[in-house]
Amino acid sequence: MTGVPRFRFAPSPTGFLHVGGARSALFNWIPARQMGGQFLLRIEDTDTERNREEWVEGLQVALRWLGMDWDEPPVRQSARAELYADALARLGDAGLTYWCDCTTEDVQRRAAERGGKPGYDGFCRDRGLGPGEGRALRFRTPDEGETSFTDLIRGDVVFRNDTLEDFIVQRSNGVPMFLLANAVDDVDMAITHVVRGEEHVNGTPKYLLLRQALGMFDQPVFAHLPVIVNEKRQKLSKRRDDVALEGYRDRGYLPEAMANYLVTLGWGPPDGVEIRPMSEVVDLFRLEDVTKSSAAFDVKKLDHFNGEYVRALPTATFVRQSLPWLETDAPWPPERFDIAKFETLAPLVQERVTVLSEVPAMVDFVFLESPAFDDAAWDKVMVRRVDLARPMLTGCVEAFAALEHWTSSALHDATLAVGESLDAKLGKAQAPVRVAVTGRTVGPPLFESLEVLGRDVTLERLTAALARLP
Ligand code: GLU
């Protein structure tokens, strides 16, 4: 093969970018960048009833979010009807297609009668029909010989031609079938590397027969990527699993973490270090090293990756990236948000969140008029341990009011002293103070939080909580 390697990602727009699609895109983009090749985008939108313009845009937004770019304007199959019509005409002229009026039900019934698998439509034959209502165009597959290809991941893959049905290349409504458009476009776009999900392995011999029929006898390099399964080892499903990349974005996963995690679905670097910058992945990645066995999408592992990336952010970046969660859809009125206060707490919050959508709950006590009390926390600390909560809060109101300097270390010492006078260690002693002021039992370190909140608000909340005690 001569010239620059050309890879492509060819999604059908279905509403969102499937995490498996995102992985396929990366496994094209990465080797393309490594080899100094080109990465192209082809939108497979021939099914005009199912495709929507905003989805096409959304796909590109999601790919860019993950850090991918492409080298030519995206190709839209919906704009290339002439190319497919021309290919169909050439196949027809060569006597390789015929009209057929078998419905899916016909094919399934016959397959069942012959003990074959339902859905296998290998039994249509040319009955000399002309074009007409309800008639599709089928491609005549050879009855003898084999069609084979070499796959970088699977090795040599061989199909007996007599197992390949005469497949449809143009539907009865005149729309070209996926395989036809897919094969024609790869030739037209001079694609040298076809990297895609393993569900396309069985279609590959048909794709190759079409290419040959159109005069292309050389083959692209193939790599069929392993299927992605959930924790129960079931194939990821749209209904059961979180498969939309955009959903992860909207829950505050970082694009770098997400891309890094997706790369590990079927591939690992030789030194075993999985969390690393994309520039290093681009150097180390080899399609030959991708596994054949299925790859499990493990949200806990993704969380671990994301937590690592969140903690590695410069604080200013963490603040900036958190802002969408703090400024819109936050549980407090926008005018109560104060970025300076958030900046003070940010390093502490950054250590404690896995995804950015957790940030508001960590700091809501600062921006809400009064704390959002967690019922379970109130019951555990204020009701069941009211014997400790009441004297602690009373003691702290007095001690905090008398503090000369409102600093976290002074607040710490004062709380410790009140606790000691009640025979309570700091951990137990600070719990009612935390619940009174933040509404929760967990959050950023307490004394730094109180320092940010200020004396007036803190004392007001301690007093209000005392009044609420049983
Ligand atoms: N539109 C196909 C899909 O989304 C593309 C298959 C291919 O990459 O050749 O699965």
Coordinates of all heavy atoms in Angstrom, one line a residue, residues 366-396:
V366 N -22.4 26.8 52.0 CA -21.8 28.1 52.0 C -22.8 29.1 51.3 O -22.9 30.3 51.7 CB -20.5 28.2 51.2 CG1 -19.9 29.6 51.2 CG2 -19.5 27.2 51.8
F367 N -23.5 28.6 50.3 CA -24.3 29.4 49.5 C -25.8 29.4 49.7 O -26.5 30.2 49.2 CB -24.0 29.1 48.0 CG -22.5 29.2 47.7 CD1 -21.8 28.1 47.3 CD2 -21.8 30.4 47.9 CE1 -20.5 28.2 47.0 CE2 -20.5 30.5 47.7 CZ -19.8 29.4 47.2
L368 N -26.2 28.4 50.5 CA -27.7 28.3 50.8 C -28.0 29.2 52.0 O -27.1 29.4 52.8 CB -28.1 26.9 51.1 CG -28.2 25.9 50.0 CD1 -28.3 24.5 50.6 CD2 -29.4 26.2 49.1
E369 N -29.2 29.8 52.0 CA -29.6 30.6 53.1 C -29.5 29.8 54.4 O -28.9 30.3 55.4 CB -31.1 31.0 52.8 CG -31.7 32.0 53.8 CD -31.4 33.4 53.4 OE1 -31.6 33.7 52.2 OE2 -31.0 34.2 54.3
S370 N -30.0 28.6 54.4 CA -29.8 27.7 55.6 C -29.5 26.4 55.1 O -29.8 26.0 54.0 CB -31.1 27.7 56.4 OG -32.2 27.4 55.6
P371 N -28.8 25.5 55.9 CA -28.3 24.3 55.4 C -29.4 23.3 54.9 O -30.5 23.4 55.5 CB -27.5 23.7 56.6 CG -27.7 24.5 57.7 CD -28.4 25.8 57.3
A372 N -29.1 22.5 53.9 CA -30.0 21.5 53.5 C -29.8 20.3 54.4 O -28.9 19.5 54.1 CB -29.8 21.1 52.0
F373 N -30.7 20.1 55.4 CA -30.4 19.0 56.3 C -30.7 17.7 55.7 O -31.8 17.4 55.1 CB -31.3 19.2 57.6 CG -30.8 20.3 58.5 CD1 -31.4 21.5 58.6 CD2 -29.6 20.2 59.2 CE1 -30.9 22.6 59.4 CE2 -29.1 21.2 60.0 CZ -29.8 22.4 60.1
D374 N -29.8 16.8 55.9 CA -29.9 15.4 55.5 C -30.6 14.7 56.7 O -30.1 14.7 57.8 CB -28.5 14.8 55.2 CG -28.6 13.3 55.0 OD1 -29.4 12.9 54.2 OD2 -27.7 12.6 55.6
D375 N -31.8 14.1 56.4 CA -32.6 13.5 57.5 C -31.8 12.5 58.3 O -31.9 12.4 59.5 CB -33.9 12.9 57.0 CG -34.8 14.0 56.5 OD1 -34.7 15.2 56.9 OD2 -35.7 13.7 55.7
A376 N -31.1 11.6 57.6 CA -30.4 10.5 58.3 C -29.3 11.1 59.2 O -29.1 10.6 60.3 CB -29.8 9.6 57.2
A377 N -28.6 12.1 58.7 CA -27.6 12.7 59.4 C -28.1 13.4 60.7 O -27.6 13.2 61.8 CB -26.8 13.8 58.6
W378 N -29.2 14.1 60.5 CA -29.9 14.8 61.7 C -30.3 13.7 62.7 O -30.0 13.9 63.9 CB -31.1 15.6 61.2 CG -31.7 16.3 62.4 CD1 -32.7 15.9 63.2 CD2 -31.3 17.6 62.9 NE1 -33.0 16.8 64.1 CE2 -32.2 17.9 64.0 CE3 -30.4 18.6 62.5 CZ2 -32.1 19.1 64.7 CZ3 -30.3 19.7 63.2 CH2 -31.1 20.0 64.3
D379 N -30.9 12.7 62.3 CA -31.4 11.6 63.2 C -30.2 11.0 64.0 O -30.3 10.9 65.2 CB -32.1 10.6 62.4 CG -32.7 9.5 63.3 OD1 -33.6 9.9 64.2 OD2 -32.4 8.3 63.2
K380 N -29.2 10.7 63.2 CA -28.0 10.0 63.8 C -27.3 10.8 64.9 O -27.0 10.4 66.0 CB -27.1 9.5 62.7 CG -25.9 8.7 63.2 CD -25.1 8.2 62.0 CE -23.7 7.8 62.4 NZ -22.7 8.1 61.4
V381 N -27.0 12.1 64.5 CA -26.1 12.9 65.3 C -26.9 13.8 66.3 O -26.5 14.0 67.4 CB -25.3 13.8 64.4 CG1 -24.4 14.7 65.2 CG2 -24.4 12.9 63.5
M382 N -28.1 14.3 65.9 CA -28.8 15.3 66.7 C -29.9 14.7 67.5 O -30.2 15.2 68.6 CB -29.4 16.4 65.8 CG -28.4 17.0 64.9 SD -27.0 17.8 65.8 CE -27.1 19.4 65.0
V383 N -30.5 13.6 67.0 CA -31.6 13.0 67.8 C -31.1 11.9 68.7 O -31.2 11.9 69.9 CB -32.7 12.5 66.8 CG1 -33.8 11.8 67.6 CG2 -33.2 13.6 66.0
R384 N -30.4 10.9 68.1 CA -30.0 9.8 68.9 C -28.8 10.1 69.8 O -28.7 9.5 70.9 CB -29.6 8.6 68.0 CG -30.9 7.9 67.5 CD -30.6 6.6 66.9 NE -30.5 6.8 65.4 CZ -29.8 6.0 64.6 NH1 -29.2 5.0 65.1 NH2 -29.8 6.2 63.3
R385 N -28.1 11.2 69.5 CA -27.0 11.6 70.4 C -27.2 13.0 70.9 O -26.3 13.8 71.1 CB -25.6 11.5 69.7 CG -25.1 10.1 69.5 CD -25.0 9.2 70.7 NE -24.5 9.9 71.9 CZ -23.2 9.9 72.2 NH1 -22.3 9.3 71.5 NH2 -22.8 10.5 73.3
V386 N -28.5 13.3 71.2 CA -28.8 14.6 71.7 C -28.1 14.9 73.1 O -27.8 16.1 73.4 CB -30.4 14.8 71.9 CG1 -31.0 13.9 73.0 CG2 -30.8 16.3 72.0
D387 N -27.8 13.9 73.8 CA -27.0 14.0 75.0 C -25.7 14.7 74.8 O -25.2 15.5 75.7 CB -26.8 12.7 75.7 CG -26.1 11.7 74.8 OD1 -26.5 11.6 73.6 OD2 -25.1 11.1 75.2
L388 N -25.1 14.4 73.7 CA -23.8 15.1 73.3 C -24.0 16.4 72.5 O -23.4 17.4 72.7 CB -22.9 14.1 72.5 CG -21.6 14.7 72.1 CD1 -20.7 15.1 73.3 CD2 -20.8 13.7 71.2
A389 N -25.0 16.3 71.6 CA -25.2 17.4 70.7 C -25.6 18.7 71.4 O -25.0 19.8 71.2 CB -26.4 17.1 69.7
R390 N -26.5 18.6 72.4 CA -26.9 19.8 73.1 C -25.8 20.5 73.8 O -25.5 21.7 73.6 CB -28.1 19.6 74.1 CG -28.8 20.8 74.5 CD -29.9 20.6 75.5 NE -30.9 19.6 75.1 CZ -31.9 19.9 74.3 NH1 -32.0 21.1 73.8 NH2 -32.7 18.9 73.9
P391 N -25.0 19.8 74.7 CA -23.9 20.6 75.4 C -22.8 21.0 74.4 O -22.2 22.0 74.6 CB -23.4 19.6 76.4 CG -23.9 18.2 76.0 CD -25.2 18.5 75.2
M392 N -22.6 20.2 73.4 CA -21.5 20.6 72.4 C -21.9 21.9 71.7 O -21.1 22.8 71.6 CB -21.4 19.5 71.3 CG -20.2 18.6 71.2 SD -18.7 19.1 71.9 CE -18.0 20.2 70.7
L393 N -23.1 22.0 71.2 CA -23.6 23.2 70.5 C -23.6 24.4 71.5 O -23.1 25.5 71.1 CB -24.9 23.0 69.9 CG -25.0 21.9 68.8 CD1 -26.4 21.8 68.2 CD2 -24.0 22.2 67.6
T394 N -24.1 24.2 72.7 CA -24.1 25.3 73.6 C -22.7 25.8 73.9 O -22.4 27.0 73.9 CB -24.8 24.8 74.9 OG1 -26.0 24.1 74.6 CG2 -25.2 26.0 75.9
G395 N -21.8 24.8 74.2 CA -20.4 25.1 74.5 C -19.8 25.9 73.3 O -19.0 26.8 73.5
C396 N -20.0 25.4 72.1 CA -19.4 26.0 70.9 C -19.9 27.4 70.7 O -19.1 28.3 70.2 CB -19.5 25.1 69.7 SG -18.4 23.7 69.7

